[in-house]
């Protein structure tokens, strides 16, 4: 899903969309300048929140030397993403240091690192063609979180609270697994 598609979903949800969005080259999606000014930043906040609930998995191989200290920022330099959490390391012996944010490599080799990362950041200058890193199920929840944040300060109605409650309900139902695992029994079994 693109940033533009997400904005359309959010603005339609909060009834702030311009009825005439049919032209794909139009940059303006709402007549409300306050909402327009907040939209990218609030979307970024909510995508970061959701990426910590249903994490974004990634993988990298890094050539390391014995006694090398490998920091999260060393992984970022090779991937351009901020590392959130290291999951699995194979290929070398290592020790965790500094609460698991630094790896001390105990041998030369190739470190195969499976980790979770933050999504690409969205700023005021991010193009509407930006593609989200989040899974589809998370992207369907995002509009409710963004709507809640945008409308939380609106004293004339309680829509912000309604969207927040719906957002929280959907988060509770979110399946955070990417796979369910499997068990294989060879040779049969007897009862």
């Amino acid at each position: 899903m693109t940033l533009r598609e997400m904005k359309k979903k959010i603005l339609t949800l909060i009834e702030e969309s311009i009825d005439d969005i049919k032209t794909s080259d139009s940059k303006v999606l709402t007549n409300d300048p306050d909402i327009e000014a907040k939209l990218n930043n609030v979307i970024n906040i909510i995508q970061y929140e959701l990426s910590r609930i249903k994490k974004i998995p990634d993988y990298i191989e890094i050539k390391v030397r014995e006694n090398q200290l490998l920091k999260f920022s060393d992984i970022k330099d090779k991937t351009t993403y901020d590392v959130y959490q290291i999951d699995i390391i194979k290929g070398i012996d290592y020790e965790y240091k500094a609460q698991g944010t630094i790896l001390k490599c105990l041998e030369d080799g190739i470190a195969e690192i499976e980790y979770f990362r933050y999504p690409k950041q969205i700023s005021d200058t991010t193009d509407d063609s930006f593609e989200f890193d989040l899974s589809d199920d998370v992207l369907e929840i995002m509009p409710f979180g963004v709507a809640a944040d945008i409308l939380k300060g609106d004293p004339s109605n309680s829509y912000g609270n309604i969207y927040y409650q719906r957002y929280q309900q959907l988060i509770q139902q979110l399946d955070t697994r990417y796979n369910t695992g499997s068990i294989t029994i060879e040779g049969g079994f007897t009862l």
Side-chain angles (χ1 to χ4, degrees), residues 12-28:
T12 301
L13 182 67
I14 63 175
E15 299 177 2
E16 287 293 341
S17 155
I18 296 175
D19 293 335
D20 191 15
I21 303 181
K22 294 172 184 75
T23 58
S24 62
D25 55 345
S26 174
K27 293 279 186 196
V28 179

Side-chain angles (χ1 to χ4, degrees), residues 83-99:
V83 176
Y84 171 59
Q85 185 178 59
I86 292 182
D87 186 31
I88 299 170
I89 302 166
K90 295 179 185 173
I92 61 161
D93 285 330
Y94 62 91
E95 292 178 351
Y96 282 115
K97 302 292 183 187
Q99 299 294 315

